Amino acid sequence: MQALLKFSRAVDWLNGLVGKYVIWLILGATLISAGNAAVRKVFGVSSNALLEVQWYLFAWSFLLAAGYTLLHREHVRIDVLSSRFSRRAQAWIDVAGFALFLTPICLAVIYLSVPVLADKFQTGEMSANTGGLVRWPVWAALPVSFALLLLQGWSELIKRIAFLRGQGPDPMGRMSDAQDAQALAEALRAEREAAQAAAPEKSAS
């Protein structure tokens, strides 16, 4: 079990690193979009290549962040029923979800997208738009991102099995960074309230 937990920590670190830097893709897409719009407005010209770069970067950022989002438990969940169950029951539901749904879907997407990516790479398929880009870089986002999501799903599966075996902490609680942020917000709120309460006393003296 310890070897599996070590693997889980490595996967968490990898997706945490990816999530930390994927924001730069959003920044790049934003700057390119703003620059393209400004040039079109001022000089009346535009570029299909720049337009396609924007959605290439957005596609990569959106897909690459899937594993990071799962790590931080920010995916949409319907907890109307499961929230009423015990922690162990919730863990079993997650085990079934990761093993029976997430894993097959990720494997299917990887299996189906890799041949398409290889074909587009070999043929050098280009965009149908004038001045557009080669297509394989954006298709590469599919197998890469779903591989990261699959690894994170396995990491979450390991954490829940460890919890059920009494060999790990509750994986369904808040992330530590979320706890730290909440604690900081509460501390700042308390400090502000204390300062407001002390203000009348100073004015009275």
Side-chain angles (χ1 to χ4, degrees):
M1 195 70 220
Q2 292 306 313
L4 291 175
L5 287 172
K6 186 176 181 180
F7 168 78
S8 174
R9 288 191 293 269
V11 172
D12 290 353
W13 173 84
L14 175 61
N15 272 310
L17 187 67
V18 170
K20 180 180 179 181
Y21 289 105
V22 76
I23 188 66
W24 292 104
L25 299 179
I26 296 292
L27 176 61
T30 303
L31 293 176
I32 292 172
S33 176
N36 196 35
V39 170
R40 184 171 62 250
K41 184 71 174 179
V42 175
F43 299 105
V45 295
S46 184
S47 167
N48 284 330
L50 290 178
L51 291 173
E52 292 185 2
V53 165
Q54 295 172 39
W55 66 265
Y56 275 35
L57 292 177
F58 179 78
W60 269 97
S61 61
F62 178 82
L63 289 169
L64 281 180
Y68 177 82
T69 305
L70 180 59
L71 168 64
H72 288 269
R73 294 185 289 282
E74 294 295 337
H75 281 286
V76 175
R77 296 173 60 99
I78 302 176
D79 294 330
V80 176
L81 294 178
S82 65
S83 61
R84 302 174 183 271
F85 299 154
S86 67
R87 286 297 197 183
R88 290 186 63 83
Q90 292 179 27
W92 277 115
I93 292 173
D94 283 350
V95 166
F98 292 133
L100 302 178
F101 295 96
L102 180 66
T103 294
I105 288 173
C106 289
L107 289 174
V109 172
I110 294 170
Y111 175 77
L112 294 172
S113 62
V114 167
V116 177
L117 170 62
D119 177 70
K120 293 185 181 299
F121 179 79
Q122 291 174 357
T123 60
E125 180 180 330
M126 299 291 296
S127 168
N129 298 317
T130 303
L133 302 176
V134 65
R135 281 292 189 231
W136 71 262
V138 72
W139 276 91
L142 278 174
V144 172
S145 60
F146 273 86
L148 289 172
L149 180 60
L150 176 63
L151 289 174
Q152 191 59 50
W154 287 346
S155 173
E156 299 302 317
L157 178 62
I158 291 168
K159 293 176 195 174
R160 280 149 183 80
I161 293 175
F163 169 69
L164 291 170
R165 290 165 57 95
Q167 295 179 281
D170 181 2
M172 281 81 74
R174 287 178 175 272
M175 295 293 290
S176 59
D177 57 350
Q179 288 180 325
D180 293 341
Q182 184 180 18
L184 177 60
E186 291 176 354
L188 291 173
R189 189 183 306 111
E191 183 178 350
R192 183 171 60 252
E193 292 174 353
Q196 292 174 349
E201 297 179 1
K202 291 183 178 180
S203 60
S205 59

